[in-house]
Amino acid sequence: VALSKPSIEQFFMKPSKPNTNPLIFPTIPLIDLSKPESKQHLVKACQDFGFFKVVNHGVPTKFIKKLESEALKFFSSPLSTKEKAGPPDPFGYGNKRIGRNGDVGWVEYLLLNAKPESDYQRYLSVFEENPEIFQGVVNDYVTAVKKMACEILELLADEMKLQPRNVFSKLLMDEQSDSVFRVNHYLPCPEFQENERNGRKLVGFGEHTDPQIISVLRSNNTSGLEISLRDGSWMSVPADSDSFFINVGDSLQVMTNGRFKSVKHRVVANSTKSRVSMIYFGGPPLSEKIAPLPSLIQGEEDSLYKEFTWFEYKKSAFNTRLADNRLGLFEKI
Ligand code: GA4
């Protein structure tokens, strides 16, 4: 089926609710992974926001820089070349269309399997001379970021007295872990400048929660990421290219029986600056049963969610629109 080109109006964001009390504007929790007391802060951040920033993360700067430069090389190649790496079904290059149900965003991206041995050749004819280089750069980065994600998940389990301490991290470490790696490129949209002056916003990536357990994001120095606060207003996350931003995914919300919040977030595109972000989505194996951990529920009645496998959740999630409440189907009434 030939799809018509989305019109620019489709990229306008709906006006959002203003902050009800601008005097108590919260700040994003900052976690220093080199400090032992970070455990308590981590749990609090996952409960209050489902979102936090990490410093002293241990991911080597050279891995980050190499990946960013390879990604830029890819995105600066001609559209016809990039399109050879698409469509993302489920992996590959995508442009302006997100998912399969009509969502659009002012973004182009690469979706990759995060398994270290994945073969990227299919999408990477762009790197004709040397697709293995790109593959090596992605592997180094993903391996380091996954290690950090596991460390965070183990600190969280420790602080909540969960046994064994790898209850969450083992799902990412499993050979069958269904994890995804995404590189987004938000192009500047000069045609939008006039609208921006009138206070309108351009959708880069529409509001959504991530279905997996944990997401680890790093971006260049362009802002745009916003998180949804409890009162329904949006808070802009100041860019910081040396830190990582972590968010709780739907599956972790379920496993903690709602104690941790899967944060709703979105990206506003910019008329003048381009934004590059890379996100590792740590997910469980497809056959894994997702349900509140017994030690976090008093009795069966207290459990907020029905049990489901990650395969079932993913299948249902991929049939939704970005902004839909995907967990609704699995909530006990
Ligand atoms: C959000 C998190 C990840 O980027 C992603 C996205 C996926 C896609 O881009 O294909 C989804 C979205 C994400 C959730 C709902 C469905 C699926 C687009 C969409 C409309 C790769 C993922 O796993 O879920």
Side-chain angles (χ1 to χ4, degrees):
V1 210
L3 292 165
S4 58
K5 204 167 163 257
S7 74
I8 184 94
E9 276 75 46
Q10 279 181 269
F11 295 90
F12 288 162
M13 244 173 211
K14 283 199 219 84
S16 30
K17 188 176 176 287
N19 185 343
T20 38
N21 188 349
L23 293 176
I24 41 169
F25 212 70
T27 51
I28 288 156
L30 175 65
I31 310 290
D32 181 342
L33 277 187
S34 66
K35 299 248 171 71
E37 63 271 23
S38 63
K39 279 189 203 174
Q40 290 102 291
H41 297 156
L42 273 175
V43 169
K44 192 164 176 353
C46 291
Q47 291 178 167
D48 296 350
F49 288 92
F51 185 82
F52 53 91
K53 170 165 148 171
V54 172
V55 293
N56 287 322
H57 45 69
V59 178
T61 312
K62 65 168 191 285
F63 291 175
I64 301 174
K65 292 285 161 227
K66 273 197 191 153
L67 181 66
E68 181 168 341
S69 93
E70 286 297 318
L72 285 171
K73 220 190 280 171
F74 173 83
F75 289 122
S76 59
S77 45
L79 184 61
S80 58
T81 316
K82 289 184 285 193
E83 278 174 342
K84 287 193 193 129
D89 58 356
F91 301 120
Y93 172 76
N95 191 333
K96 298 204 174 66
R97 298 179 193 285
I98 298 166
R100 321 188 198 115
N101 307 306
D103 287 290
V104 296
W106 201 259
V107 65
E108 59 173 342
Y109 57 88
L110 260 179
L111 265 174
L112 303 169
N113 186 336
K115 272 205 188 93
E117 72 283 9
S118 304
D119 186 1
Y120 297 156
Q121 305 279 349
R122 202 214 106 198
Y123 347 107
L124 301 171
S125 54
V126 185
F127 297 93
E128 263 157 30
E129 342 72 269
N130 237 332
E132 308 80 44
I133 295 190
F134 184 79
Q135 183 150 3
V137 168
V138 172
N139 286 352
D140 286 347
Y141 180 87
V142 169
T143 307
V145 160
K146 175 170 156 186
K147 186 165 165 260
M148 184 214 345
C150 287
E151 195 180 318
I152 290 171
L153 290 171
E154 285 168 18
L155 290 170
L156 287 168
D158 268 352
E159 182 59 21
M160 290 197 296
K161 314 251 173 329
L162 301 174
Q163 295 276 1
R165 74 188 295 263
N166 68 349
V167 260
F168 305 127
S169 64
K170 68 171 191 225
L171 305 174
L172 273 55
M173 290 311 290
D174 195 299
E175 244 182 72
Q176 303 297 321
S177 148
D178 181 38
S179 298
V180 180
F181 182 57
R182 168 170 219 139
V183 188
N184 289 327
H185 180 216
Y186 299 91
L187 304 97
C189 176
E191 307 93 289
F192 199 72
Q193 223 161 23
E194 186 57 37
N195 288 293
E196 219 168 41
R197 272 196 290 274
N198 296 330
R200 300 189 80 170
K201 289 180 167 183
L202 179 69
V203 179
F205 208 110
E207 62 174 83
H208 66 284
T209 61
D210 293 341
Q212 292 81 0
I213 295 171
I214 191 168
S215 316
V216 182
L217 174 143
R218 185 262 167 193
S219 78
N220 67 347
N221 252 325
T222 307
S223 60
L225 179 63
E226 299 188 343
I227 60 165
S228 163
L229 301 176
R230 295 229 171 147
D231 68 356
S233 65
W234 290 91
M235 177 181 178
S236 167
V237 178
D240 180 346
S241 59
D242 298 323
S243 305
F244 282 89
F245 293 95
I246 314 288
N247 66 264
V248 169
D250 297 344
S251 301
L252 191 55
Q253 174 168 325
V254 172
M255 293 179 81
T256 58
N257 200 28
R259 247 175 92 178
F260 290 178
K261 301 285 174 294
S262 171
V263 70
K264 210 195 279 173
H265 55 286
R266 66 182 187 188
V267 176
V268 180
N270 194 297
S271 65
T272 52
K273 279 190 79 187
S274 84
R275 172 180 161 96
V276 179
S277 63
M278 20 224 174
I279 312 124
Y280 163 78
F281 301 94
L286 287 172
S287 60
E288 188 71 28
K289 290 198 176 91
I290 308 294
L293 294 175
S295 56
L296 292 179
I297 48 177
Q298 255 91 59
E300 187 49 28
E301 335 58 81
D302 181 49
S303 162
L304 297 177
Y305 304 96
K306 298 175 207 158
E307 179 181 285
F308 50 83
T309 63
W310 169 241
F311 175 77
E312 287 166 326
Y313 191 60
K314 204 174 151 179
K315 206 169 95 193
S316 117
F318 278 73
N319 285 320
T320 60
R321 297 285 302 256
L322 268 183
D324 291 347
N325 169 20
R326 281 173 277 284
L327 274 180
L329 264 177
F330 299 92
E331 276 160 14
K332 286 191 180 169
I333 338 125

